[in-house]
Amino acid sequence: MVYTSDLRKKAKNRKTNEKRQFVKDIKNAVKWNLPRLEHDTTSMENVPREMATRLLRLDKVATKTDPEGKHAMQTLIASGYVLRPVRQFGREYFRRDDLVQSLKAYVGA
């Protein structure tokens, strides 16, 4: 006989495992693609949020649930690994030096 408390516990464990894997996938994507971000934005002072997401390939972390990578980037911001972007002219920009430095600290490079 299966009790409802057992089913709830299994569902909770599945969600925590999925969350753990999502965070691990974000960290791997940042680690592998950080040199590309650093190279492609060398002459820039500010990096648009969409460009940072595309260069880090955060849109490939969860293609079904987050095809644009917005949730993955927001997870990094909410966790405090990346500073909040500054809004200019209706778009959000990261300061390049702060972004690269904080992402290097995040992945341990």
Side-chain angles (χ1 to χ4, degrees), residues 19-29 106:
K19 174 71 173 178
R20 211 174 287 133
Q21 185 63 44
F22 180 67
V23 172
K24 189 176 179 181
D25 290 343
I26 292 173
K27 191 167 191 171
N28 285 334
Y106 173 60

Side-chain angles (χ1 to χ4, degrees), residues 4-67:
T4 56
S5 61
D6 293 337
L7 294 175
R8 287 185 192 141
K9 191 173 183 180
K10 285 182 182 181
K12 184 177 180 183
N13 286 340
R14 189 188 76 232
K15 286 182 183 178
T16 56
N17 290 339
E18 289 174 359
K19 174 71 173 178
R20 211 174 287 133
Q21 185 63 44
F22 180 67
V23 172
K24 189 176 179 181
D25 290 343
I26 292 173
K27 191 167 191 171
N28 285 334
V30 170
K31 183 162 85 173
W32 294 331
N33 298 304
L34 184 59
R36 180 176 179 201
L37 172 79
E38 197 171 8
H39 178 269
D40 289 355
T41 60
T42 301
S43 63
M44 300 175 76
E45 184 176 333
N46 295 323
V47 179
R49 182 176 176 153
E50 300 85 24
M51 184 179 198
T53 303
R54 247 183 293 116
L55 288 174
L56 291 173
R57 294 189 178 258
L58 294 178
D59 53 343
K60 304 297 184 203
V61 173
T63 55
K64 290 183 181 177
T65 58
D66 187 24

Side-chain angles (χ1 to χ4, degrees), residues 84-106:
R84 294 201 178 277
V86 177
R87 215 170 240 278
Q88 292 178 345
F89 310 114
R91 293 180 71 188
E92 295 181 338
Y93 292 91
F94 293 106
R95 293 200 35 84
R96 183 206 178 263
D97 298 333
D98 295 339
L99 178 66
V100 171
Q101 182 182 6
S102 61
L103 289 175
K104 280 185 177 180
Y106 173 60

